[in-house]
Amino acid sequence: MGPNSTSLRKFFVMFFIAFPVVITVTLMYPNSSLGLFERFSEGKEQRGTTQNVGAELLSGGPNVSTHGFGLEETVQNVTHDSFGGEGNNNSVSSRVKELQARSQNQNTAEGRTKNITAAEGLKTDSLTSSTNDSNPHVVNLDDKDKLLGGLLTSGFDEASCISRMQSHLYRKASPHKPSPYLISKLRSYEEIHRRCGPNSRSYRKSMIKIEHSMNKGVATMCKYLIWTSANGLGNQMIDLVATFLYAILTDRVLLLKFGKDKHGLFCEPFLNSTWVLPEKSLFWDEKHIETYQILLEKDKATNSTEDLPSVLFINLQHTRTDPEKYFHCDHSQDILQKIPLLIFQSDQYFVPSLFMNPFFKPEITKMFPEKDIVFHQLGRYLFHPSNEAWELISKYYQAHLAKADERIGIQIRVFSPATTPQQAIMDLVLSCTLKHKILPEVDLQNSASSGRKKQRVKAVLVASLHREYGDNLRAMYLKKQTVSGEVIQVYQPSHEEHQKSCDNKHNMKAWIDMYLLSLSDKLVTTSLSTFGYVAQGLGNLKPWLLYRLIDNNTSFPSCEHDFSSEPCYHVPPKHYCNGNLIKKFVYSFPNLRECKDFSFGVKMVNNST
Ligand SMILES: *[C@@H]1O[C@H](CO)[C@@H](O)[C@H](O)[C@H]1NC(C)=O
Ligand SMILES: *[C@@H]1O[C@H](CO)[C@@H](O)[C@H](O)[C@H]1NC(C)=O
Ligand SMILES: *[C@@H]1O[C@H](CO)[C@@H](O)[C@H](O)[C@H]1NC(C)=O
Ligand SMILES: *[C@@H]1O[C@H](CO)[C@@H](O)[C@H](O)[C@H]1NC(C)=O
Ligand SMILES: *[C@@H]1O[C@H](CO)[C@@H](O)[C@H](O)[C@H]1NC(C)=O
Ligand SMILES: *[C@@H]1O[C@H](CO)[C@@H](O)[C@H](O)[C@H]1NC(C)=O
Ligand SMILES: *[C@@H]1O[C@H](CO)[C@@H](O)[C@H](O)[C@H]1NC(C)=O
Ligand SMILES: *[C@@H]1O[C@H](CO)[C@@H](O)[C@H](O)[C@H]1NC(C)=O
Ligand SMILES: CC(=O)N[C@H]1CO[C@H](CO)[C@@H](O)[C@@H]1O
């Protein structure tokens, strides 16, 4: 263990004293937005949902005109548009055509060589108002950058997903190149998905076979993995990456049960196909489907894998009391491999459990020679903001963040608002950011003035359900100068007061917040928050993890710097495959390490030291 292990241990002693309190509080206030793992509670108040999100997003700081692209309008008028629907003459597709025409104009007018910085190049108007063909702001269309070093494939209709081609203009180039093996696995996955995915003949044939032999085994041309959602959007996204890795490892076609709450958030990631489970599929309904747990029991009792079902439901959710799932074990994987259709429900980043499997481990190692960037690679491969989301993200970025010298993301999640005074959280945030020089101290002698000429600007993006945190921080830096002479600008794109699930607009806001946070230079997140995990993973950022405050006791380090950008797997297996208890993960699995924000959790690291 590292030199900091003593202070770390203290940190966790505190944490686990606090732990039972969290659970008690969760039981006491089931309807507030508490919960151990980002459990999104259904907001009782629906007030916020009827507002025009676009306008709200763009009003984070100084007034910014919205160019009439409110989210309200776009979300309503998007059905399957961003999932590859065609021939839809609605406002979105016509706008996309317009954009396509413009981007072609730009390409021919400007050539492909000039430089662009996000700050200068993509002015707010470049996407929305009439584009000037002799515009000096140029898009660098080097394919290598655009395709993230080969991670993405070419051939997409660029206008259908503008973010896919523009994200590299907003994000620092990743120092982590995808390995040739990962690239080849992705290309062959795409091939399988095209061949076996919805609308293909193989899909129809295989599905008919499966549907007609639900409870008895059958061999099919193609195998499938259906993802179902659980918990909030952050949990869903980390789980989706893990599920996708499992699909690649097992040559299964990944299909998503995307409810209305997720329509219009993401582009299609797989060329010439869709990842959404067709509406007509029988498997939207999980009733009468055999479960993995029952299969395990049967297997134990009879020792035979003779009568396997052709559809199996597997729950890998985060319950700590469930019997061991043995999902990481060869024996289980041998059985699962024979079942043509698996339905997954999880809310966990279970990549480390795949790595614990001796068959998957060498594959994963070959795909990811750097083991701590699995999410960074697969997350950037899978998650591209839809055109509607991208419009809001890129405009917000250009209006507020692009011109700053440094961008700081602060994600504040209050797990137990009922017992945690706001001031205590504010103190925690300040203590962390000041101590680690993420933000400067205010100069108590001098009040704010614009004396100096060229001051360094730090833009702070606050993501929280509660607007007070952004407001307080902004007020603090408005009144006084900073000792460093830096100018601190504070923005908070959205605040919802309550977390909601099954709410499209709420998810859109959350996705925009996560994406904007991922564009930061430095990131401060709340321990255990999967929302933060997504941002850090996409952005290749090692976050400062705020202590997860549940009262106003501040006798612990306010935050710690994480050692990687990988999400934490909160509930790893507790047993070896022979049934013995795993006492110390790090000894048995040298490439796994305890998470800083949750000592029961693990994540992959490059080397075992
Ligand atoms: C910002 O907008 C508000 C109302 O939308 C208005 O009262 C205020 O004067 C505007 N401020 C600036 C600087 O334009
Ligand atoms: C879309 O609109 C164009 C003209 O605006 C029309 O020619 C075309 O048939 C329409 N397509 C659909 C699918 O409605
Ligand atoms: C692009 O801009 C960056 C930053 O200003 C600079 O370092 C780089 O050399 C420029 N590249 C070209 C091709 O001009
Ligand atoms: C286009 O850009 C040129 C050069 O910057 C400028 O002279 C012209 O007025 C611009 N036209 C429009 C419509 O913005
Ligand atoms: C994808 O579809 C387009 C249009 O049908 C086609 O031209 C292209 O070859 C396809 N790409 C692949 C890799 O199948
Ligand atoms: C199951 O198989 C193993 C080895 O194949 C054997 O040792 C064990 O006795 C069997 N158990 C049952 C219940 O048949
Ligand atoms: C927090 O501290 C204040 C004053 O120190 C105290 O009045 C309050 O009860 C404390 N709240 C909690 C939840 O411990
Ligand atoms: C804060 O927590 C520590 C460790 O549990 C405890 O020793 C201390 O008394 C607590 N302080 C307050 C004010 O509750
Ligand atoms: C811009 C646009 O097309 N808006 C339409 C969105 O859809 C509603 C009905 O669902 C229409 O009333 C709007 O005109």
Side-chain angles (χ1 to χ4, degrees):
M1 294 285 285
N4 281 336
S5 66
T6 326
S7 78
L8 253 185
R9 211 165 291 134
K10 272 194 218 140
F11 185 68
F12 284 108
V13 169
M14 306 300 173
F15 184 84
F16 288 110
I17 289 168
F19 205 78
V21 183
V22 183
I23 293 166
T24 318
V25 166
T26 309
L27 295 174
M28 282 163 59
Y29 301 94
N31 276 340
S32 61
S33 50
L34 313 175
L36 203 42
F37 301 97
E38 304 270 304
R39 184 174 296 288
F40 278 43
S41 59
E42 198 72 49
K44 273 190 277 184
E45 296 170 56
Q46 296 292 325
R47 265 184 288 131
T49 61
T50 52
Q51 290 163 357
N52 184 321
V53 186
E56 202 183 308
L57 276 165
L58 287 160
S59 64
N63 290 355
V64 177
S65 93
T66 63
H67 297 284
F69 277 117
L71 185 56
E72 185 89 277
E73 167 209 321
T74 54
V75 167
Q76 273 177 1
N77 288 345
V78 172
T79 47
H80 285 267
D81 205 71
S82 55
F83 298 121
E86 347 164 25
N88 223 339
N89 267 357
N90 65 21
S91 60
V92 175
S93 55
S94 53
R95 195 183 314 152
V96 164
K97 281 194 200 101
E98 204 183 332
L99 285 164
Q100 187 173 31
R102 274 184 213 148
S103 88
Q104 276 163 3
N105 280 349
Q106 270 190 346
N107 294 353
T108 49
E110 305 299 336
R112 304 177 150 247
T113 50
K114 284 205 222 151
N115 207 350
I116 181 177
T117 66
E120 286 181 338
L122 289 164
K123 282 276 154 47
T124 308
D125 60 5
S126 70
L127 293 179
T128 52
S129 63
S130 73
T131 302
N132 193 337
D133 274 358
S134 51
N135 193 330
H137 307 307
V138 181
V139 181
N140 177 355
L141 289 171
D142 186 315
D143 274 356
K144 248 207 156 146
D145 295 344
K146 225 164 55 166
L147 301 175
L148 310 179
L151 194 63
L152 307 181
T153 187
S154 56
F156 276 97
D157 170 16
E158 299 193 1
S160 69
C161 184
I162 295 161
S163 68
R164 193 191 326 264
M165 293 302 139
Q166 288 193 349
S167 67
H168 73 104
L169 302 171
Y170 289 73
R171 213 187 278 296
K172 268 184 288 196
S174 173
H176 305 290
K177 298 267 166 287
S179 72
Y181 191 63
L182 173 60
I183 292 173
S184 78
K185 290 295 275 187
L186 289 171
R187 293 302 89 84
S188 60
Y189 175 82
E190 288 156 8
E191 172 58 34
I192 294 174
H193 198 107
R194 262 192 304 278
R195 182 158 41 79
C196 293
N199 306 322
S200 69
R201 193 189 299 162
S202 308
Y203 176 85
R204 281 186 294 274
K205 277 189 174 168
S206 300
M207 281 298 172
I208 287 171
K209 254 183 152 176
I210 293 169
E211 284 165 11
H212 286 110
S213 57
M214 297 264 275
N215 295 315
K216 43 187 201 296
V218 68
T220 52
M221 216 179 316
C222 304
K223 292 193 294 177
Y224 298 90
L225 180 58
I226 295 180
W227 175 91
T228 65
S229 69
N231 231 323
L233 188 63
N235 282 86
Q236 292 176 23
M237 290 173 75
I238 59 171
D239 164 36
L240 194 43
V241 165
T243 306
F244 178 51
L245 178 60
Y246 186 69
I248 296 175
L249 290 169
T250 56
D251 296 325
R252 288 175 183 275
V253 173
L254 174 67
L255 295 173
L256 316 184
K257 269 195 203 175
F258 257 6
K260 281 210 176 67
D261 63 319
K262 277 175 292 292
H263 283 180
L265 298 188
F266 306 110
C267 300
E268 288 283 356
F270 308 129
L271 179 62
N272 286 1
S273 189
T274 177
W275 65 344
V276 180
L277 181 68
E279 261 172 50
K280 276 180 265 164
S281 170
L282 283 188
F283 301 111
W284 279 92
D285 181 6
E286 285 141 26
K287 275 183 240 129
H288 314 302
I289 290 176
E290 183 161 334
T291 66
Y292 176 61
Q293 218 61 47
I294 288 181
L295 184 80
L296 281 188
E297 281 158 25
K298 273 202 321 206
D299 173 57
K300 216 165 153 189
T302 64
N303 230 2
S304 108
T305 53
E306 292 285 285
D307 49 333
L308 290 173
S310 56
V311 185
L312 189 74
F313 182 83
I314 305 182
N315 188 334
L316 297 175
Q317 260 181 287
H318 67 63
T319 45
R320 296 193 59 83
T321 49
D322 271 6
E324 181 62 62
K325 295 187 162 104
Y326 294 107
F327 183 73
H328 59 296
C329 298
D330 260 356
H331 179 66
S332 312
Q333 292 302 329
D334 282 346
I335 299 175
L336 295 179
Q337 188 213 322
K338 301 185 183 113
I339 301 175
L341 194 151
L342 303 178
I343 302 179
F344 258 40
Q345 180 154 54
S346 170
D347 51 6
Q348 288 292 311
Y349 187 69
F350 56 86
V351 169
S353 79
L354 302 176
F355 192 73
M356 287 163 71
N357 177 284
F359 178 71
F360 296 145
K361 181 177 170 170
E363 278 293 289
I364 297 177
T365 308
K366 221 168 140 192
M367 284 159 73
F368 302 97
E370 301 170 276
K371 293 175 201 68
D372 54 356
I373 51 158
V374 176
F375 188 94
H376 179 57
Q377 302 291 26
L378 295 184
R380 286 181 309 152
Y381 174 84
L382 283 181
F383 301 125
H384 304 281
S386 67
N387 286 347
E388 304 79 65
W390 187 243
E391 178 122 31
L392 294 163
I393 290 167
S394 55
K395 279 166 89 178
Y396 195 88
Y397 185 88
Q398 289 150 26
H400 301 308
L401 307 174
K403 294 184 196 81
D405 296 294
E406 192 177 358
R407 283 157 285 273
I408 314 288
I410 303 182
Q411 184 248 345
I412 304 171
R413 177 156 165 77
V414 186
F415 283 93
S416 39
T419 57
T420 324
Q422 235 163 43
Q423 192 54 48
I425 291 177
M426 206 58 216
D427 291 348
L428 187 80
V429 171
L430 285 177
S431 154
C432 171
T433 50
L434 298 179
K435 181 175 168 206
H436 296 283
K437 308 228 177 309
I438 298 163
L439 292 176
E441 307 257 4
V442 291
D443 184 344
L444 297 173
Q445 257 80 59
N446 301 303
S447 57
S449 75
S450 49
R452 264 169 268 192
K453 268 207 182 125
K454 194 156 186 279
Q455 288 168 303
R456 220 176 110 80
V457 174
K458 277 188 181 178
V460 182
L461 184 86
V462 177
S464 175
L465 296 176
H466 312 279
R467 68 171 305 151
E468 291 80 3
Y469 299 112
D471 288 349
N472 287 346
L473 205 59
R474 188 180 304 121
M476 173 177 140
Y477 284 111
L478 268 183
K479 281 194 231 126
K480 298 278 181 190
Q481 269 184 12
T482 60
V483 291
S484 62
E486 289 164 311
V487 173
I488 307 300
Q489 296 170 347
V490 179
Y491 304 101
Q492 183 167 352
S494 67
H495 49 84
E496 283 258 315
E497 305 299 336
H498 293 278
Q499 274 192 321
K500 304 185 193 76
S501 50
C502 305
D503 178 331
N504 185 286
K505 263 178 234 157
H506 175 72
N507 277 343
M508 183 64 104
K509 285 181 170 186
W511 175 214
I512 289 167
D513 272 3
M514 283 187 256
Y515 202 96
L516 286 170
L517 284 174
S518 80
L519 302 176
S520 308
D521 298 304
K522 287 185 182 151
L523 184 62
V524 178
T525 64
T526 303
S527 286
L528 277 160
S529 169
T530 54
F531 195 102
Y533 292 171
V534 172
Q536 76 200 36
L538 291 176
N540 185 39
L541 297 160
K542 293 174 187 163
W544 276 267
L545 295 157
L546 290 171
Y547 179 81
R548 197 159 151 279
L549 204 56
I550 45 135
D551 55 25
N552 53 2
N553 187 346
T554 49
S555 49
F556 35 72
S558 51
C559 62
E560 301 228 6
H561 203 179
D562 207 344
F563 53 81
S564 86
S565 73
E566 275 287 281
C568 176
Y569 178 27
H570 291 154
V571 284
K574 294 188 282 288
H575 296 86
Y576 295 103
C577 298
N578 65 10
N580 291 346
L581 205 62
I582 301 175
K583 290 223 179 75
K584 194 83 183 146
F585 254 96
V586 285
Y587 296 149
S588 313
F589 303 97
N591 284 108
L592 300 183
R593 201 198 286 186
E594 284 174 8
C595 305
K596 280 219 175 199
D597 58 339
F598 190 57
S599 68
F600 287 134
V602 295
K603 53 173 148 178
M604 301 215 294
V605 289
N606 273 332
N607 41 42
S608 45
T609 52

